[in-house]
Amino acid sequence: MDSILCDELLQEIFRRLPPPSSAAVSLVCRRWLHLLRSSTTSLSLSFIEPPFIPLFSSFLRFHPYLSTVSVTSTATVDSSDHVLFAVASSCPNLRHLRFLNGPVSPFSLLSLSASCPNLVSLAVTLFRPLSFLWMTPFRSLKELSIYSAGNSGELDYVDFYGSCDSSELNLESLLLTGIQAGDKGVSFLWRNCKKVRTLKLKGCEGVGDQGSFLAFLQCLEGLQELELRTCRTIADGVLLKLAENCAMLNSLLLYDGGSKEGLLHFLSQSKCDNLQKLDLRLPLDLDNNHLTAAAENLGSLRSLSLQSCCLVTGEGLKILGNAMADGLEELALINCDVVERESGLLTTLGQDLKRLKKLDLSFNDMLLDKELISMLVSCNNLNELKVRGCKKLTNLTMVSLAKCCKKLETVDVMYCCGIEAEGVELFVLNSPKLRLLQVEGNKVSDVARTWASHKFIEVVA
């Protein structure tokens, strides 16, 4: 059989194998090992100790067609530049690199730009003071993720506003973590990233020095997606600017930060007529006034996610559900005690939101079968359901899912203590369109596993 199969056919078979099987392929013979390496385009590597660079480089060169590489370390690594040099020199076809092996220097990044000119996506950690002048040679770069570390102890940079101000970058997606008010090097990004459509800020206390602020505001105008995670000090200012003139915004995520007044102003005064996705995790900053404002002003909303929102009541959710009955297709109420606190709320939402396709009620510990089932009876168009961590649900929920939700393709019932193997088996046997089931392995019987294989259902434990 080995002699009959040509190299190209074997490589195509290897590409379709799941990870455990592909690892075993390398042990069959030298030919299979060589073909497996030649067909590998993606590698994810994690180190406890810094790798021995010559061996690491040789290992990478055995995989000549790598386009995606992820390198991480679970320990402090002082040789990050050497590791990055090894990746750059050994992977000329690299397009996506996630390098979180420790802070790297601008010099090593310049070397990376010369060795990997087709790099599209890059994630790295940088020391302070931050400088982004090394980005100019990366003409193909579309996605950039920067994780800031401590101070390197070097002198601050002086030429942030010089000859590189006009070096327009082609970035479309930008993630920045830990930016502080004094990081004047960030100004280079705001001045030259005119094409950014997705901006993600995490743990940021500012957007750079005073000279960076106006450039940052200009960068906001063309955004389509914005994420603010734990950015309380800048959230209000950003929301105010968004409400004024960000007509292109279609997705907003706001986690753990911002005042009630700033968010209310955005929801009630926003000119974002195309806003389709709103994702909020604001335990003490979101109440019914915000939901009422969203119901009145965000008619284009298609996806709403609320996490750990303690001050929201059933009244606010009912107003929102009634107003968006014809448009909302995705709803997530994750760890929201109002789901458990107010009996009949889910029933009302189900009756209003008949167009729902995705529903996530994860980590509502006290959610009961009867409350969920009363909603599912009206949600006949659901194709995705997540109830992960809902410990009170039982096999009765699985029976109802099989009867009422015939269009379900993806279901997550992980950590639902009351759901047993019998309920999982019945659901697998009676779900015609199911393609992905997330459940503990000990709840999948031999019968269920056999039927899942026959019906091409992926079971993830």
Side-chain angles (χ1 to χ4, degrees):
M1 180 62 70
D2 180 54
S3 60
I4 294 175
L5 296 176
C6 63
D7 290 352
E8 291 77 9
L9 184 55
L10 272 175
Q11 287 179 320
E12 185 62 30
I13 293 173
F14 295 163
R15 290 189 187 99
R16 296 172 183 266
L17 290 175
S21 300
S22 61
V25 162
S26 62
L27 304 177
V28 175
C29 61
R30 289 186 177 181
R31 180 194 176 206
W32 282 33
L33 173 61
H34 172 73
L35 291 176
L36 177 64
R37 287 171 169 174
S38 298
S39 62
T40 298
T41 59
S42 176
L43 276 182
S44 181
L45 306 170
S46 180
F47 299 107
I48 298 177
E49 298 293 337
F52 182 55
I53 299 302
L55 288 179
F56 181 59
S57 298
S58 298
F59 171 77
L60 291 175
R61 291 192 181 99
F62 282 135
H63 304 78
Y65 297 106
L66 284 177
S67 62
T68 301
V69 172
S70 174
V71 180
T72 59
S73 175
T74 56
T76 302
V77 179
D78 297 326
S79 58
S80 295
D81 281 352
H82 297 293
V83 178
L84 185 58
F85 279 131
V87 173
S89 61
S90 306
C91 306
N93 299 312
L94 203 59
R95 292 178 59 82
H96 306 275
L97 174 61
R98 180 177 175 83
F99 190 86
L100 302 181
N101 197 60
V104 296
S105 69
F107 178 75
S108 63
L109 290 169
L110 286 172
S111 176
L112 177 66
S113 68
S115 301
C116 304
N118 298 319
L119 203 65
V120 173
S121 174
L122 175 64
V124 292
T125 302
L126 299 180
F127 269 127
R128 282 194 172 83
L130 296 175
S131 170
F132 295 94
L133 303 184
W134 53 267
M135 289 187 58
T136 303
F138 284 95
R139 307 313 302 174
S140 300
L141 199 63
K142 302 292 184 183
E143 302 178 12
L144 176 65
S145 299
I146 297 296
Y147 301 86
S148 56
N151 199 304
S152 65
E154 298 178 2
L155 294 177
D156 202 355
Y157 299 96
V158 293
D159 184 17
F160 288 111
Y161 310 102
S163 59
C164 291
D165 267 3
S166 60
S167 303
E168 184 172 339
L169 305 173
N170 293 316
L171 286 182
E172 298 175 359
S173 177
L174 177 61
L175 164 65
L176 299 176
T177 66
I179 301 301
Q180 299 177 359
D183 289 333
K184 54 187 177 182
V186 186
S187 177
F188 175 79
L189 286 180
W190 304 138
R191 293 171 185 274
N192 293 288
C193 292
K194 306 299 183 182
K195 300 178 182 178
V196 170
R197 296 295 175 261
T198 300
L199 176 62
K200 302 177 182 181
L201 302 177
K202 183 176 181 180
C204 294
E205 299 178 1
V207 293
D209 65 345
Q210 188 174 3
S212 304
F213 189 69
L214 291 178
F216 169 72
L217 294 182
Q218 293 176 357
C219 186
L220 288 179
E221 295 179 2
L223 287 184
Q224 296 177 1
E225 299 180 31
L226 175 65
E227 294 187 7
L228 299 174
R229 299 175 187 265
T230 322
C231 298
R232 182 173 291 274
T233 56
I234 64 172
D236 279 359
V238 174
L239 290 174
L240 180 63
K241 180 63 178 179
L242 289 176
E244 290 177 359
N245 57 4
C246 288
M248 297 178 62
L249 193 71
N250 58 44
S251 177
L252 173 64
L253 181 148
L254 182 61
Y255 281 6
D256 305 325
S259 69
K260 293 182 179 181
E261 292 75 17
L263 179 59
L264 184 60
H265 177 83
F266 171 79
L267 294 175
S268 57
Q269 304 296 326
S270 172
K271 298 179 181 179
C272 303
D273 297 331
N274 296 318
L275 190 66
Q276 297 184 13
K277 184 175 182 180
L278 186 62
D279 190 345
L280 305 174
R281 187 176 71 194
L282 303 167
L284 301 177
D285 298 315
L286 187 78
D287 57 31
N288 287 348
N289 292 328
H290 298 98
L291 298 187
T292 301
E296 294 174 351
N297 196 44
L298 301 181
S300 60
L301 209 61
R302 295 292 178 266
S303 174
L304 174 66
S305 176
L306 304 180
Q307 296 188 42
S308 306
C309 297
C310 305
L311 303 182
V312 169
T313 70
E315 180 184 357
L317 286 172
K318 289 175 183 178
I319 292 174
L320 190 67
N322 183 262
M324 299 184 174
D326 295 329
L328 206 64
E329 297 180 352
E330 301 179 15
L331 176 65
L333 300 173
I334 303 170
N335 190 32
C336 291
D337 57 357
V338 64
V339 172
E340 309 154 3
R341 189 174 64 238
E342 300 196 22
S343 179
L345 170 62
L346 293 184
T347 303
T348 303
L349 291 178
Q351 292 171 348
D352 286 338
L353 304 174
K354 295 183 182 296
R355 297 186 61 180
L356 274 186
K357 295 181 180 179
K358 297 182 180 182
L359 177 62
D360 190 346
L361 298 173
S362 298
F363 301 108
N364 290 297
D365 293 353
M366 305 305 292
L367 177 61
L368 301 176
D369 288 322
K370 64 178 183 178
E371 295 291 334
L372 178 59
I373 293 170
S374 66
M375 182 181 190
L376 295 178
V377 169
S378 303
C379 298
N380 299 319
N381 292 315
L382 277 186
N383 57 41
E384 182 176 312
L385 175 66
K386 297 180 179 180
V387 288
R388 175 177 290 228
C390 296
K391 300 177 181 179
K392 292 289 185 178
L393 297 182
T394 69
N395 288 343
L396 188 59
T397 289
M398 305 305 287
V399 173
S400 298
L401 284 178
K403 289 182 178 179
C404 303
C405 304
K406 296 294 185 180
K407 296 182 180 180
L408 278 175
E409 299 177 6
T410 301
V411 174
D412 184 349
V413 290
M414 289 285 288
Y415 314 125
C416 295
C417 307
I419 295 177
E420 301 169 335
E422 181 182 358
V424 172
E425 181 178 308
L426 184 146
F427 179 64
V428 170
L429 294 178
N430 294 279
S431 299
K433 293 193 175 182
L434 187 64
R435 290 296 172 262
L436 175 63
L437 176 63
Q438 292 182 274
V439 65
E440 293 91 333
N442 60 1
K443 295 182 181 180
V444 184
S445 65
D446 291 339
V447 174
R449 199 174 298 279
T450 300
W451 272 94
S453 177
H454 290 166
K455 298 170 71 174
F456 301 101
I457 300 172
E458 183 181 1
V459 179
V460 179

